[in-house]
Amino acid sequence: MKKNPFINPREWKEYIRDLRQAYNKMVEEEGQMYKLIIIDDEKKILDGIAELFPWKNIGFEVVGKYTRAREALKYLENNRVDVVMTDVCMPDIDGLELTKELKQYQELRIVIFSSYSDYKYMWEALKLEVADYLLKPISYGKLLECFEKIKEFLD
């Protein structure tokens, strides 16, 4: 099993318990998988979030990973997704500008993550009514909590 960089050793017991609960809940509900795209210009972080977090166990499927926001926008022109998870600072379009452009998709939930704890970014994200604003490094517990709330909203 790959070591998940988002989990410190103290969280392993909780991690395994939460996985079991999420899996059992998913099996019970036999619910649909919600579609998620992730955008971050740092490929290592992008791959870690997309591949190491147990998305399917909590009812989400990563249908796209992008290092450029414009690539994600092109994908969204022809494909429906339920959630966009994006970094704030990127070279082509920052996450806040991207969020403004995504407002045309009414049912889309947006999660912004950043290594910046600057209240300017957080305040702007709140004004744009994003589902959540997560700080890097993203802990397993915070990510799980965020997406459980989103799943509850989407259900």
Side-chain angles (χ1 to χ4, degrees), residues 21-34 56-60 147-148 150-155:
Q21 288 174 348
Y23 177 77
N24 291 337
K25 184 177 177 183
M26 188 179 77
V27 169
E28 281 176 25
E29 295 175 346
E30 292 183 34
Q32 75 181 64
M33 297 293 270
Y34 292 108
K56 290 189 178 189
N57 292 355
I58 61 168
F60 291 88
F147 277 85
E148 283 178 340
I150 290 172
K151 185 171 187 320
E152 188 177 306
F153 175 85
L154 293 171
D155 285 344

Side-chain angles (χ1 to χ4, degrees), residues 5-43:
F6 303 107
I7 302 171
N8 68 43
R10 290 175 283 163
E11 293 181 358
W12 276 105
K13 269 188 175 177
E14 182 178 278
Y15 172 77
I16 292 170
R17 186 195 73 223
D18 290 344
L19 278 178
R20 285 185 184 133
Q21 288 174 348
Y23 177 77
N24 291 337
K25 184 177 177 183
M26 188 179 77
V27 169
E28 281 176 25
E29 295 175 346
E30 292 183 34
Q32 75 181 64
M33 297 293 270
Y34 292 108
K35 294 179 180 181
L36 162 71
I37 63 171
I38 304 170
I39 311 160
D40 193 338
D41 59 318
E42 296 180 61
K43 184 147 176 42

Side-chain angles (χ1 to χ4, degrees), residues 27-80:
V27 169
E28 281 176 25
E29 295 175 346
E30 292 183 34
Q32 75 181 64
M33 297 293 270
Y34 292 108
K35 294 179 180 181
L36 162 71
I37 63 171
I38 304 170
I39 311 160
D40 193 338
D41 59 318
E42 296 180 61
K43 184 147 176 42
K44 190 174 183 179
I45 292 173
L46 175 65
D47 290 341
I49 293 170
E51 296 168 15
L52 297 176
F53 190 78
W55 294 108
K56 290 189 178 189
N57 292 355
I58 61 168
F60 291 88
E61 175 186 10
V62 177
V63 294
K65 302 184 307 182
Y66 300 94
T67 56
R68 301 249 181 230
R70 290 194 196 287
E71 294 170 353
L73 282 171
K74 284 182 188 175
Y75 178 84
L76 290 169
E77 288 174 7
N78 300 311
N79 298 281
R80 186 186 156 286

Side-chain angles (χ1 to χ4, degrees), residues 98-142:
L98 175 64
T99 299
K100 289 174 188 171
E101 290 193 36
L102 294 176
K103 284 299 178 180
Q104 64 182 307
Y105 304 102
Q106 298 297 322
E107 297 299 315
L108 184 64
R109 304 300 289 161
I110 301 167
V111 175
I112 293 180
F113 61 98
S114 176
S115 55
Y116 296 99
S117 59
D118 187 334
Y119 285 107
K120 177 183 86 175
Y121 292 122
M122 288 183 207
W123 178 249
E124 187 66 28
L126 284 173
K127 289 192 316 190
L128 293 170
E129 300 177 348
V130 299
D132 211 336
Y133 188 101
L134 303 171
L135 291 175
K136 292 179 187 175
I138 304 169
S139 75
Y140 170 83
K142 293 284 185 192

Side-chain angles (χ1 to χ4, degrees), residues 78-105:
N78 300 311
N79 298 281
R80 186 186 156 286
V81 300
D82 302 294
V83 183
V84 171
M85 184 176 183
T86 182
D87 190 10
V88 167
C89 293
M90 293 181 292
D92 58 346
I93 303 173
D94 74 41
L96 298 173
E97 281 301 313
L98 175 64
T99 299
K100 289 174 188 171
E101 290 193 36
L102 294 176
K103 284 299 178 180
Q104 64 182 307
Y105 304 102

